[in-house]
Amino acid sequence: MAQARPLGVSVRAWQPPRRIDAIDFWLRSGLLASAHALREALRPSARRWHGDAHALADAPVLAQYRTPLWSDGRADEFPLVAGKVQNLRVARRAFDAIEVPAGELLSFWRQLGRPSASRGFVQGRELRGGCVVPTLAGGLCQLSNALATVAARAGLELVERHGHTARIEQAADAAGDAVDATVFWNYVDLKLRAKHAWRLEVELTSDELVLRIRARSPLAMPAVPMALRRAGEEGASTAPPLPLPLARGCLSCDQTACFRHRSLPAVAQQGRTTVLRDAWTPEFARYLGEHHAGADRMQPVPLRLAFWRTGPATGWQREAVADGAASIQLPWWASLRRTVWQRLWARHAGRRQGSLIDGQRWLALAFAARLKPEHTQLVIDQALLPHLQQLGALDGRRITVLASALPMAEIERRLDAAARRWPDDATLRDFRADAALVQAEAAALARAAMVVTPHAEIAAHLAAMAPRAASLRLDWVLPAARGVDAIDPAGAAPPLIVFAASALARKGARELAASLQDWPCRLRVLGSPSDDAQLWRGIGSVEHMHWRGDGLNGARVVVLPAHIEHAPRALLRALAAGLPVVASSACGLAGLPGVREVTAGDVEGLRAALKNACDADDDNKNDESAS
């Protein structure tokens, strides 16, 4: 059914657009843009401000304005709404955290620059001639409207402002003091000025565009509500302005013969979900298969530099694409670069962790470049989270975090505490992440809608850090049970204690060495030895497995008193084999049968737990012999 002509709109203005009118508009706008560019080149009216100043970062908030991202426009024009949000993601980086000195001018177009596809702008929506038409960088007017409104609330001077000639269907009701301000490259501009220095902050949550203005000065002038009046209404100053006419949409308009008409793309109203993964774990693989089987996926290529070595397929190689899922996107170059870089620094303490972060950043860059505007929900591996936050890829999207580690700030806090206890161990201080990356991770976790993890310690910490996020605790996946060699009869030989890690201080090696002093026992280290040759002094027999063979054979108890442990796979193998486990709460195994938990750093508590585990095992063996 044809759309009815709104009141106050002439019959000629409501007719379908003509090509000759579009050509005329293109010529006139080109001339005006060229003339404006020439004037600005000869005598610039404003300069571009950079977002690297922090003088007003803690200043009071003078004004704030929120506007919805997804609830305006017709439901069947979702592709244009998604394009609008993508353009706001790109534009936000130009306006966020800028500080404008007193008396200086902020120009919308000088600050943003020319929008182009090479900068990441896509087809959005633009109001032109009473129609919502698809156009590159369309939708930026939502940012200019919000900027004009928050500026008016903060008492800034609107030096230049232009209004729209139509409105979007189903747009959310604007606040009573909302200011209408349209922009069109480069001569239809929005310019602001204040008598004091001020700071602009722009944020995209999952469903809102939020603008804030900070300053240390009070309002420069009272905020006066502004209402747009169309031509011919100036005389009716006492009457409220007539509402703007409703714009027709090119994707939903009944005028299919119009040269601007476009067919609807096959995109669901709620958009699509995509999964961004950094590593494979059985817990997350099972969760994704049950909850996001049909989602798009991006993951690294499983490369093995030592390709001549044969072995069973593990991890990514075993995982098939679920029915109904899109094909998995594999960034080959980023994966190869990461693999080579991490292998290069694998044996360099301190620099190894930095190489892991470098690889995660390259992978996040590759994933962000492959995200599409219709990807409105992201399921993200936590390792990629801070890099995607810095890139702005999380803006305007609902985030589910596959939490595989404690936040970097908490890791560093725990390592600092351990370093104060063991000041001579340099491995506890060999690496610290960049402060900006730590802050980006905290900001990304705070915006998460859901946190998914099997790790009890991570779940508890993130529940306090992101209280608004839903939390889902997964069950650990125990490997297939494998038989281990029988334990020597009680009293025949000193008990064998298996340390389920390499001999690193962050894994609790210092506490274990202290707890085993003056105790007749044997020690087996599953990983590599420590650089400190005196670490295990006082312990009679110490064996290092270098992660080869089955180090659980003959074990009386498996121990890991780690300060940091995110993937306790060796402990899970021990539990599957029926061996008793003593582990710190940092291992995240709370609630699993067979686990005795101790506090990280508690030497006496660790010693008592080990003795109790060995005594209980001796009792069990004696009962079995008697029976």
Side-chain angles (χ1 to χ4, degrees), residues 360-373:
Q360 292 157 2
R361 182 177 68 254
W362 298 332
L363 201 62
L365 283 167
F367 288 166
R370 289 166 169 80
L371 287 176
K372 299 179 180 179

Side-chain angles (χ1 to χ4, degrees), residues 229-248:
R229 295 181 181 276
R230 300 191 303 278
E233 294 180 16
E234 288 78 0
S237 58
T238 59
L242 293 175
L244 293 174
L246 187 65
R248 296 171 292 187

Side-chain angles (χ1 to χ4, degrees), residues 61-69 88 91-92 94-98 106 108 140-154 156 179 181 190 192 198-205 208-214:
V61 176
L62 290 189
Q64 178 176 276
Y65 183 65
R66 295 174 175 268
T67 177
L69 289 175
L88 292 176
R92 183 198 65 83
F95 290 91
D96 184 43
I98 63 171
L106 172 65
F108 185 92
L140 293 178
C141 288
Q142 181 167 357
L143 178 58
S144 62
N145 288 343
L147 180 56
T149 301
V150 74
R153 289 182 177 182
L156 275 62
V179 179
L190 172 66
L192 312 174
W198 56 284
R199 174 186 176 91
L200 176 64
E201 296 176 350
V202 183
E203 177 187 2
L204 267 71
T205 69
E208 284 186 319
L209 170 66
V210 184
L211 272 72
R212 285 181 293 269
I213 288 182
R214 296 180 181 269

Side-chain angles (χ1 to χ4, degrees), residues 162-209:
H162 307 270
H164 288 87
T165 58
R167 59 186 172 89
I168 300 292
E169 185 173 353
Q170 294 182 2
D173 294 336
D177 61 344
V179 179
D180 183 21
T182 186
V183 289
F184 187 84
W185 174 262
N186 57 357
Y187 60 94
V188 180
D189 202 355
L190 172 66
K191 295 180 180 179
L192 312 174
R193 182 166 50 203
K195 296 181 180 179
H196 54 79
W198 56 284
R199 174 186 176 91
L200 176 64
E201 296 176 350
V202 183
E203 177 187 2
L204 267 71
T205 69
S206 60
D207 54 4
E208 284 186 319
L209 170 66

